[in-house]
Amino acid sequence: MKQKPRVAVFDFADCEGCELEIADLEEEVLDLIEIVDIVSFREVMKEHSDTYDIAIVEGSIMRPMDEKRLRNIRSRSKILIALGACATIGGINKIRNQWMPDEVKKEVYGTADLKGNELFDVFQTKALNEVVPVDYYIHGCPIDRDEFKSVITAIALGKKPDIPRYPVCVECKKNENICQFELGNFCLGPITRAGCKAICPTHNSPCEGCRGLIKKADTECVKEVLERYKLSYEDIRRRCTMYNYGRKECSYDE
Amino acid sequence: MKQLVKTITKKDFSTFVNTLIKDGSYDVVGVQAKGKRYVFDTVSSAQELRLDYDVTILPPKKYFLPQYEMLLKFSLQKPFEGKETITDVPRIIIGVHPYDIIALEQTDRHYLDQQQDSFYKKRRENTIIIGVDIQNVSERSFAASMKTNTTESGFDLLLTDIGNCYAVTIGSEKGDKLLKKYATVKDASSTDLNKIKTARNAVLKKYKQKIKIEKKDWSPLLVANYDHAIWEEHADVCMECSSCTMVCPTCFCYDVKDEVSLNLKQGNRTRTWDGCMLKDFTKVGSGEVFRDEVKERYRHRFFRKGNYLPERYGFVACVGCGRCGSACLPDIADPCNLINELAHFTSEDDTGRYFIKEENEVLEKGIIHVPRSATIKKITPFNELDSLFEIELDDKKPLGHKPGQFVEVSVFGYGEAPFGISTPPGNTPLFEIMVRQVGNVTKKLCSLQPGDKIGIRGPLGNGFNVKSFEGKTLLFTSGGTGMVPMRSLINHVLDPKERNKFKDVIILYGAKRPKEITFMDDVDRWKKIPDVQCEITVDRCEPSECWGGCTGLITTLFPKIQADKLDSKNTIAVVIGPPVMYKFVIKCLQTLGVPDDNIYVSLERRMKCGVAKCGHCQINGIYVCKEGPVFNYGTLKQLPEAF
């Protein structure tokens, strides 16, 4: 009988919420472990193995020691999956990239002496693909459990997962939501990747772009909408810093 | 037939609705408030109804072509099992405005005329439509100037608020029966009938938008302005969000996906709304996108409403509901504004130039979504990417195809993909296709073994009209994988039973590299046939590849044809190959003196449903899966999106 793929789950700078989503599959965890062997998943079990085929990684890369650890994981795995916004696009962790690491450390730790301590040796936050090649991306903050299942089954079947490359508006309209703009809110939905079933607008909260922008914020169409709704570029720039700070390119293929 | 009109007091109407709800045999749906907007939703009491609404966020199309609809369930454990999953909930929809009623009738033409969609049909049959005359008008609606603000047909019952009661126009037997069973009504008097007219007229002044031209002038106006700067100007600010198509009552394109459960034991095939405004709408397995630029997609939507569908069905496919105008953030989607802006120009140009009318035999009605079971008999690899598959239908019936047609092959859990049929028509249940590994379905297919089962839908497409080739010289030019469908035609023509119907046969074949040549066996056999000229070339080859033949592009084979001996006016030329090849080969043919009307091509697009419903394969106004994939170059060349 063909051996089940061995899966290991790791995290870096994150809240572990995306990993928790995997645990929150509840009864479906039984289905999951029928098709894969989870050999390492610190958040839910103490067993660990250094031999695995698929690595699922949550969190951003902050320090040289993180880079080293990630490269090690990459070298041991055939497939690397970035789990959640911190891993796929840097997410909230990139907010601090607006300032130099030293400024940030001073703000947080004050006058504490952190020299030579590798735990605090941070550089500008990096998403996983800024350090190693990533095979698949599961976007969102947190991830969508259905999308997680879809990606895992695709990998198990040997097919490329089908991640939307169109904006949240498609799913929002299918849900028959009243457009956030009509309610006077600025929503990042039109320039954000879909796949979350527009969960935030459906629950009356404008989209924050956690799945990654698929259109740059400084395009003509965005400027047009800003003008029409009497919003400033400052507004959108600030909204985008939550999850999408410093993304020079909006990669379609992620 | 004079329509019967009754009246019902508002109180009795509430009772009528509550009785229907209590009866429990219908899903009673009606217009309700959602915040400041309105939606169709299941009502639990007549009090929830807001029949004075202006427009709903989504049109009632969601009840006939749902946002997400399961087409079939399959098992990955049993060799082949796919069950159609039609739900047939009897439903009553209360409060449909005339423009939405008209939009449904338009959608009927597309989904029920030919190759009937059984899901849509069932839902239409199971639904009773209780329309309501418009009382309030949304900001962007221009239904009055589109003459879609009232309708004489398409409803089972139609309500008009005439003050103290509703007038109820009976539109069908179903409606009549419903009233008789559940409602207390009176006959309408002539005063009541006049009140209906007054009520309808009173609303007219509420329209804020008015379209400046008549519906019959949309087509010539658009044709005159195919290359107008406005498309690019507006597309510059388009968000490519496809909100316009999602909320549109006359849009009905969809995508189909296979989803598998986490335990990998079973799954389902689901269709969901898709939008031609999205970037990947026309993307095929090899990665090519056939309508890439935003301005092309933006223009396509208006042409579809105002030129392509009118040419096909005779109606303008916009009902002036105003939903797209409200939904579009940069405000470029509103057809009223766009048409009014263009309204200064018109033309005498042929409005049918972006459409090809085919004299099609009436295509099979019936199950079009569920594949038939078939078995892979043999797999012969040509090279590391391409393999020849021999397939047999499990019911042992012949496929019944014409050369040039294609099949949609299903691998449950992975999806469905179109393949040209490579064998000539015959009485055998066996047929061949060639599979090139480019995506999920093809990669999985190439990992299967003889004996494994797959699903087949087809034959699809128009195929070659071989009868019209009789008595002519035939010149076949294939580039690369173009030889796959071409082989079906060539072997049919060269069949001893058919051969003497045609004159000389010339076969030209060009591949990129020697290892990409498919069907070398056939080529060798054709070369040996006396009155057949067969020439083959490769674009280039390495010294290490043993290739003793010609090198050079396919156009370098044309000088090998004895032009002075060729009766070019009575030659039929068939060209199939990669998009880039057509322009050059057609030039060679024209130099030889072959008339454009004697040239046939086969084109590739993203074929998903294969039955002219999902919309992905469109080239201007035609569906490649229906008016094609075989086209006459003489008529095709006027379609700007063809090459």
Side-chain angles (χ1 to χ4, degrees), chain B residues 571-616:
Chain B
T571 298
I572 298 283
V574 180
V575 188
I576 312 180
V580 64
M581 185 191 89
Y582 287 102
K583 192 168 65 181
F584 301 103
V585 167
I586 288 172
K587 241 199 210 74
C588 291
L589 292 169
Q590 289 168 332
T591 312
L592 275 176
V594 179
D596 283 358
D597 284 335
N598 285 25
I599 302 175
Y600 290 86
V601 300
S602 178
L603 295 187
E604 180 205 342
R605 285 297 184 274
R606 182 179 170 193
M607 249 85 82
K608 192 84 201 173
C609 70
V611 289
K613 301 277 180 296
C614 74
H616 291 95

Side-chain angles (χ1 to χ4, degrees), chain B residues 501-530:
Chain B
K501 293 183 188 165
F502 314 97
K503 290 241 173 69
D504 291 335
V505 170
I506 306 170
I507 301 168
L508 305 179
Y509 180 20
K512 275 215 200 86
R513 305 273 300 278
K515 66 177 178 179
E516 288 191 36
I517 296 174
T518 50
F519 308 115
M520 199 64 215
D521 292 346
D522 286 84
V523 170
D524 286 336
R525 186 168 51 85
W526 297 331
K527 279 191 175 178
K528 295 198 183 91
I529 301 177

Side-chain angles (χ1 to χ4, degrees), chain B residues 26 70 101 112 127 141 179 188 196 211 348 524 527 541 546:
Chain B
Y26 297 100
M70 195 186 302
I101 293 172
L112 301 177
T127 308
S141 175
L179 267 191
I196 295 178
I211 201 156
E348 304 296 323
D524 286 336
K527 279 191 175 178
C541 80
C546 302

